[in-house]
């Protein structure tokens, strides 16, 4: 990428991996993956986006097929490291990570962010190998020149919550918008029911300008802002492979927000983007998005938002 290019509107911090996906229907499908790639491609459907992180040194990443949609000036390849994830789903959709190379993300540091990225309107921090790394980025980006007014969003990962729940809670407190799944919300709150997790999150962000969006598979998502909780329905599609849908949602949400959309409007759009991802293995639907299909799905969801609590 040309160093003289203008800053992207949104910067995503996260990696590009190679995933091996197994489902009850197919076994060992090898595709491009990584939270950073899914988030960046989801964001690229709505705004200009830059990517900072580690890239797998693998034939599938040769030629960087996400270009030109994603500006990858902040992406670093570790020679000889494939950065792989072996992901298996059972007949109930429960996931097992048999290989998780996210530990390589200990090599990430805020100094990797290209100078021209620092004027971006927003930064999205994907779930990294260690939530402390997310905190490091959030703190550094707040302090860096030009980023003080930028919107910072972050996601998480269930295994990271189990390993270090307190640090993930600090990530929640450090960002403007926090995105998690329903199981992650329950784990973060330390409760067994989603309704209790939503209540805990409402208390956590109450009285602040911060917000949380909780994705709930085919139920859509819950938007927690102020004292209100609103449910946004999704566009229902059969899930062939749900890998990456959550990060694509988070990236699309962050992109809409930097472009001035209201949170609920952004959530509707993000649900539509996520519905594209689950229809096939890997990020193919985002590498070459069908704009007409996407807009049709966004339009289909323009109906009343259900208020579920306050």
């Amino acid at each position: 990428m040309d160093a003289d290019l203008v800053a992207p509107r949104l910067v995503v911090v996260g990696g590009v991996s190679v995933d091996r996906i197994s489902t009850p229907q197919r076994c060992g499908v090898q595709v491009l993956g990584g939270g950073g790639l899914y988030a960046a491609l989801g964001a690229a459907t709505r705004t200009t986006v830059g990517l900072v992180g580690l890239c797998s040194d693998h034939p599938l990443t040769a030629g960087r097929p996400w270009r030109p949609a994603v500006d990858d000036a902040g992406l670093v390849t570790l020679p000889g490291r494939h950065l792989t994830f072996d992901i298996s789903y059972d007949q109930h959709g429960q996931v097992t990570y048999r290989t998780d190379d996210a530990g390589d993300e200990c090599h990430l540091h805020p100094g990797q962010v290209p100078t021209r990225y620092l004027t971006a309107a927003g930064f999205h921090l994907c779930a990294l190998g260690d939530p402390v790394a997310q905190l490091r980025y959030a703190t550094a980006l707040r302090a860096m020149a030009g980023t003080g007014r930028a919107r910072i969003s972050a996601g998480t990962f269930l295994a990271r919550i189990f390993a270090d729940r307190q640090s993930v809670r600090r990530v929640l407190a450090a960002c403007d918008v926090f995105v998690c799944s329903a199981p992650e919300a329950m784990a973060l709150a330390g409760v067994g029911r989603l309704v209790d997790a939503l209540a805990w999150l409402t208390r956590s962000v109450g009285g602040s300008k911060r917000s949380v969006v909780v994705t709930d598979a085919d139920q859509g998502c819950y938007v927690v802002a102020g004292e209100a909780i609103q449910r946004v329905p999704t566009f229902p599609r059969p899930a062939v492979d749900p890998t990456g849908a959550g990060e694509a949602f988070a990236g699309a949400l962050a992109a809409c927000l930097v472009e001035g959309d209201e949170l609920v409007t952004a959530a509707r759009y993000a649900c539509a983007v996520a519905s594209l991802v689950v229809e096939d293995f890997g990020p193919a639907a985002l590498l070459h998005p069908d704009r007409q299909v996407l807009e049709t799905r966004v339009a289909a969801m323009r109906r009343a938002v259900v208020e579920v609590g306050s």
Side-chain angles (χ1 to χ4, degrees), residues 152-280:
I152 296 180
S153 59
T156 190
F157 183 50
L158 194 59
R160 309 296 177 254
I161 298 173
F162 289 147
D164 189 355
R165 182 164 60 184
Q166 290 307 312
S167 289
V168 178
R169 287 181 172 183
R170 290 171 62 198
V171 173
L172 164 64
C175 61
D176 301 297
V177 182
F178 187 78
V179 183
C180 61
S181 68
E184 290 161 355
M186 289 185 285
L188 191 59
V191 298
R193 299 190 308 162
L194 179 57
V195 65
D196 295 327
L198 292 171
W200 181 87
L201 288 168
T202 302
R203 293 192 298 272
S204 297
V205 302
S208 74
K209 294 183 179 180
R210 295 181 292 119
S211 55
V212 180
V213 180
V214 180
T215 60
D216 192 17
D218 59 2
Q219 295 301 305
C221 68
Y222 297 88
V223 175
V224 181
E227 299 298 323
I229 303 171
Q230 295 174 295
R231 184 178 69 85
V232 176
T234 192
F235 190 92
R237 298 297 298 167
V240 174
D241 172 23
T243 308
E247 282 295 1
F249 175 98
L253 182 87
C256 289
L257 294 175
V258 301
E259 291 301 331
D261 290 352
E262 296 293 333
L263 188 56
V264 168
T265 301
R268 282 183 171 133
Y269 183 91
C271 282
V273 169
S275 76
L276 297 176
V277 176
V278 303
E279 292 180 321
D280 202 356

Side-chain angles (χ1 to χ4, degrees), residues 32-171:
L32 281 171
L37 181 61
Y38 278 103
L41 289 172
T45 66
R46 184 70 174 82
T47 194
T48 56
V49 59
L51 181 58
V52 175
L54 301 182
C55 180
S56 177
D57 185 8
H58 188 279
L60 283 180
T61 66
R64 303 207 167 186
W66 48 87
R67 292 176 175 174
V70 175
D71 178 338
D72 60 2
L75 205 57
V76 176
T77 299
L78 296 178
R81 292 295 296 151
H82 283 181
L83 305 180
T84 57
F85 290 80
D86 192 341
I87 306 168
S88 179
Y89 295 92
D90 66 18
Q91 64 270 28
H92 304 294
Q94 297 299 308
V95 63
T96 301
Y97 281 77
R98 302 185 186 280
T99 304
D100 178 349
D101 277 349
D104 283 305
E105 289 171 338
C106 66
H107 297 281
L108 284 173
H109 58 86
Q112 283 179 249
V113 180
T115 302
R116 65 182 173 86
Y117 282 11
L118 296 179
T119 57
F123 295 85
H124 176 69
L125 311 177
C126 295
L128 303 176
D130 183 347
V132 173
Q134 283 179 298
L135 282 169
R136 188 163 58 241
Y137 269 94
T139 302
L141 290 170
R142 292 285 190 207
M144 287 178 181
T147 64
R149 295 183 180 178
R151 185 190 301 269
I152 296 180
S153 59
T156 190
F157 183 50
L158 194 59
R160 309 296 177 254
I161 298 173
F162 289 147
D164 189 355
R165 182 164 60 184
Q166 290 307 312
S167 289
V168 178
R169 287 181 172 183
R170 290 171 62 198
V171 173

